[in-house]
């Protein structure tokens, strides 16, 4: 009799064979009507793509980065991007299937990402940028120990690789956590 927990999450690095499924996952978590099933949607602020196959392939190929694939019972349920940048690790492209959001997976995945940043790169700090109008999402990260810096960077208006903005007041806010 197996003692494995079918609800347990497993973590691995993305592979070329995952590209299409990862694009679909990220798009479903952030854009379009499907994203409204979860609470991380950007559909009220941005239309268009969140990523594409080339963007996923670039992360997979990057020597100082990894795209962490999160599986449950053999199915991909989430992902996140970790990139070592000199004195910190950047955390991004965090996506959890919309129907699974709000059940504690994000907290578990974020903790694993932080552990990997410390163990893989001896990182002392994790950084991320969040669209500044996403107060609920920023509050989520603050509850997990991230600090709002107030440091804003402009949204790349006109670069549709990041989406098509539906408002003119978008910027990215830097959040930081000591590891």
């Amino acid at each position: 009799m197996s003692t494995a927990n079918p609800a347990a999450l497993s973590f691995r690095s993305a592979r070329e064979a995952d590209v299409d499924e990862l694009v679909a996952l990220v798009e479903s978590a952030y854009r379009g009507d499907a994203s409204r099933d979860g609470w991380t949607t950007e559909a009220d602020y941005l239309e268009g793509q969140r990523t594409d196959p080339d963007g996923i392939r670039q992360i997979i190929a990057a020597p100082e980065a990894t795209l962490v694939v999160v599986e449950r019972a053999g199915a991909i349920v989430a992902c996140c991007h970790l990139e070592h940048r000199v004195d910190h690790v950047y955390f991004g492209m965090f996506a959890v299937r919309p129907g699974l959001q709000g059940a504690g997976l994000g907290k578990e995945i974020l903790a694993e990402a932080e552990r990997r940043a410390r163990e893989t790169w001896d990182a002392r700090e994790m950084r991320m940028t969040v669209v500044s109008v996403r107060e609920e999402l920023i509050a989520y990260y603050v509850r997990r120990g991230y600090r709002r810096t107030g440091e804003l960077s402009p949204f790349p208006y006109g670069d549709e690789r990041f989406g098509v903005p539906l408002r003119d007041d978008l910027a990215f806010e830097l959040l930081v956590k000591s590891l």
Side-chain angles (χ1 to χ4, degrees):
M1 184 155 119
S2 173
T3 58
N5 178 358
L9 299 178
S10 62
F11 301 84
R12 64 173 174 81
S13 294
R15 303 182 287 257
E16 173 66 29
D18 300 321
V19 169
D20 291 340
E21 191 170 355
L22 290 170
V23 169
L25 168 66
V26 171
E27 294 301 311
S28 75
Y30 287 97
R31 303 289 163 79
D33 287 335
S35 70
R36 295 181 192 279
D37 289 342
W39 66 274
T40 62
T41 184
E42 294 175 340
D44 294 331
Y45 314 112
L46 294 159
E47 291 181 335
Q49 72 178 30
R50 172 65 167 74
T51 192
D52 59 29
D54 287 339
I56 298 289
R57 284 187 187 97
Q58 287 174 8
I59 295 170
I60 291 171
E64 288 290 308
T66 186
L67 186 55
V68 178
V69 172
V70 184
E71 295 176 310
R72 177 188 276 162
I76 295 176
V77 297
C79 69
C80 65
H81 170 208
L82 298 174
E83 183 178 327
H84 182 234
R85 296 182 178 175
V86 184
D87 63 344
H88 68 276
V89 169
Y90 180 81
F91 176 82
M93 203 177 288
F94 188 20
V96 175
R97 289 202 183 284
L100 299 175
Q101 292 176 15
L105 279 114
K107 182 169 41 174
E108 189 175 342
I109 295 163
L110 188 57
E112 173 65 12
E114 292 166 358
R115 184 193 69 75
R116 286 175 177 240
R118 283 188 308 271
E119 291 184 6
T120 304
W121 293 293
D122 196 27
R124 301 286 179 240
E125 188 173 79
M126 185 91 90
R127 296 182 186 179
M128 69 177 74
T129 55
V130 179
V131 177
S132 59
V133 297
R134 307 224 27 232
E135 290 295 335
E136 185 179 6
L137 184 58
I138 291 170
Y140 170 85
Y141 288 120
V142 167
R143 289 191 304 273
R144 307 247 148 8
Y146 286 79
R147 176 179 51 81
R148 295 183 81 160
T149 65
E151 184 179 322
L152 299 177
S153 56
F155 187 86
Y157 285 92
D159 187 343
E160 291 191 8
R161 291 176 304 159
F162 296 91
V164 178
L166 299 176
R167 32 193 301 180
D168 62 4
D169 62 343
L170 301 180
F172 292 110
E173 182 171 352
L174 177 65
L175 305 180
V176 177
K177 180 178 182 178
S178 293
L179 300 176

